[in-house]
Amino acid sequence: MLAAEQEFDGCFTIVNGRRQPVDRWADLLFQSAYWQDDQRTIWHLDELDPVYCSRIYGFIVRQEDEVGTQLAWDATRGPDPSGDVAWDAATRSVDALLELVSERGWISRTELMQALSRRMRGRPAVEGECFCGYPVAEGWVHSSCYAGMEMA
């Protein structure tokens, strides 16, 4: 039996070319392309209709305090880095996360929530990209592109 080919794509582990589900949906907050439903199916945000994106948005907003507490807990109980440079970088990273989650409404400023907000208005999830997956650039015609189309 051959060993599985494993890669990493943002927050997902990729095994033999397929994204593997994350353990917690909150792990997706700091990216803007995917959502994982309660059946652990991974969806590209541009495949989802605006109404479904608004339901996801509402679900996440209701979880703000709980998720902020969990992220803060996870950040402060991780392994200690070794070396002065690593320690300084880790401390700055934890401090920035703790400052972020201490503010009311912090969750709406995450990459996922910004992407969901764009989808709720019928726009592509990633700013500056078309539904076809190509960047929106001067002179390019995207008039036949639509939400949910096969990605490039």
Side-chain angles (χ1 to χ4, degrees):
M1 180 187 228
L2 296 173
E5 179 184 328
Q6 186 170 335
E7 301 172 40
F8 191 72
D9 174 26
C11 53
F12 292 103
T13 301
I14 299 177
V15 178
N16 294 331
R18 298 195 63 169
R19 284 184 180 78
Q20 302 302 303
V22 293
D23 292 331
R24 299 178 310 188
W25 65 264
D27 295 338
L28 302 174
L29 283 171
F30 301 101
Q31 57 81 45
S32 60
Y34 299 98
W35 174 249
Q36 176 180 301
D37 65 20
D38 59 348
Q39 302 298 313
R40 297 176 58 89
T41 303
I42 300 167
W43 298 94
H44 195 280
L45 290 179
D46 286 335
E47 296 174 331
L48 303 176
D49 68 73
V51 173
Y52 187 58
C53 289
S54 69
R55 285 192 211 127
I56 296 168
Y57 192 96
F59 166 78
I60 294 172
V61 166
R62 289 189 300 276
Q63 309 297 317
E64 178 179 35
D65 291 337
E66 180 181 331
V67 170
T69 301
Q70 186 64 51
L71 289 174
W73 173 255
D74 291 347
T76 56
R77 67 180 180 99
D80 290 334
S82 60
D84 291 340
V85 173
W87 184 262
D88 290 344
T91 301
R92 280 194 305 275
S93 177
V94 168
D95 289 348
L97 178 66
L98 294 176
E99 183 178 332
L100 172 72
V101 300
S102 69
E103 300 170 12
R104 175 65 57 201
W106 69 270
I107 208 160
S108 63
R109 293 190 304 274
T110 63
E111 287 91 341
L112 176 60
M113 295 298 273
Q114 295 294 310
L116 286 167
S117 179
R118 285 189 287 274
R119 285 298 302 126
M120 288 166 27
R121 295 189 305 269
R123 295 176 34 212
V126 178
E127 186 114 49
E129 271 190 18
C130 180
F131 292 117
C132 64
Y134 286 99
V136 176
E138 188 175 328
W140 287 36
V141 178
H142 293 275
S143 58
S144 61
C145 301
Y146 55 91
M149 72 182 295
E150 187 80 19
M151 301 305 289

